[in-house]
Amino acid sequence: MNILLIEDDSVFAQTLMRRLISGGCTVSHAANSSEALLQARAVRPTHIILDMNLDSESGLALLAPLRALLPATRIVLLTGFASIATAVQAIKLGADDYLCKPASLAMILATLNGQASDDSVSEGIVMSPDRVEWEHIQAVLGRNDGNISKTARQLNMHRRTLQRKLQKKPVSS
């Protein structure tokens, strides 16, 4: 497997690269979007692991150019800030799959290979009620194109309460 890892966190990138290489993969790394496009043209990877937040850039913006450049390459978006809305958006923009950090190496490899990831059940990942609420808020917000007032009305919630909930980082599973 020839993988391009697009990740701005150098410590995480080095750790993941070591694990993938020890698993028999060939891995190249890019830390930002311009580097990623150059690497994609030069290396022609069969698989791409793309971080959603690249410093001040969004990995979502890279999906269309990567898909146009490498239509047969399997692209997996990896993020620490998962939501249903961004998962749907990522798939619409060209990602083949979407994984939440932290993800085990086995889960990453299975997803890269296009295998159904029922691993989340076997690994005991169950969403907390707070996480379910966060996911639901993100989904409704996405359907309303980011309109806070409309989303608050649909959720039967005060607009300021919704804004406070959105300012918090997503709760862990």
Side-chain angles (χ1 to χ4, degrees):
M1 203 180 302
N2 182 9
I3 301 171
L4 172 58
L5 173 61
I6 305 169
E7 170 66 59
D8 63 333
D9 181 340
S10 60
V11 174
F12 178 75
Q14 291 302 319
T15 302
L16 184 55
M17 285 174 58
R18 273 194 306 273
R19 297 175 101 194
L20 290 167
I21 290 168
S22 69
C25 301
T26 303
V27 184
S28 44
H29 174 247
N32 57 52
S33 58
S34 57
E35 225 178 277
L37 292 171
L38 288 172
Q39 286 282 346
R41 282 187 192 95
V43 177
R44 311 296 286 182
T46 57
H47 298 79
I48 294 175
I49 300 172
L50 172 61
D51 185 28
M52 175 110 131
N53 293 321
L54 297 171
D55 212 10
S56 62
E57 304 169 306
S58 171
L60 292 173
L62 265 177
L63 285 168
L66 287 170
R67 183 54 66 209
L69 182 64
L70 304 162
T73 297
R74 184 156 176 79
I75 302 173
V76 175
L77 193 77
L78 186 63
T79 182
F81 303 99
S83 73
I84 293 170
T86 55
V88 169
Q89 187 179 10
I91 301 302
K92 283 182 180 178
L93 291 171
D96 293 296
D97 219 321
Y98 184 91
L99 278 178
C100 304
K101 290 178 184 173
S104 67
L105 183 61
M107 186 179 282
I108 292 171
L109 290 172
T111 304
L112 285 171
N113 286 317
Q115 298 169 350
S117 57
D118 291 333
D119 294 345
S120 60
V121 174
S122 66
E123 290 182 15
I125 298 171
V126 177
M127 282 198 272
S128 68
D130 288 338
R131 182 60 187 218
V132 172
E133 179 189 42
W134 171 263
E135 296 285 345
H136 181 64
I137 288 170
Q138 292 300 316
V140 175
L141 188 62
R143 284 195 304 269
N144 291 319
D145 298 319
N147 185 320
I148 300 288
S149 297
K150 189 174 180 181
T151 300
R153 279 191 304 273
Q154 286 181 0
L155 293 172
N156 198 23
M157 179 183 299
H158 194 279
R159 188 176 50 83
R160 286 187 182 160
T161 302
L162 177 59
Q163 287 174 321
R164 277 194 300 274
K165 287 180 181 278
L166 290 171
Q167 287 175 346
K168 295 179 182 177
K169 290 187 177 185
V171 293
S172 60
S173 300

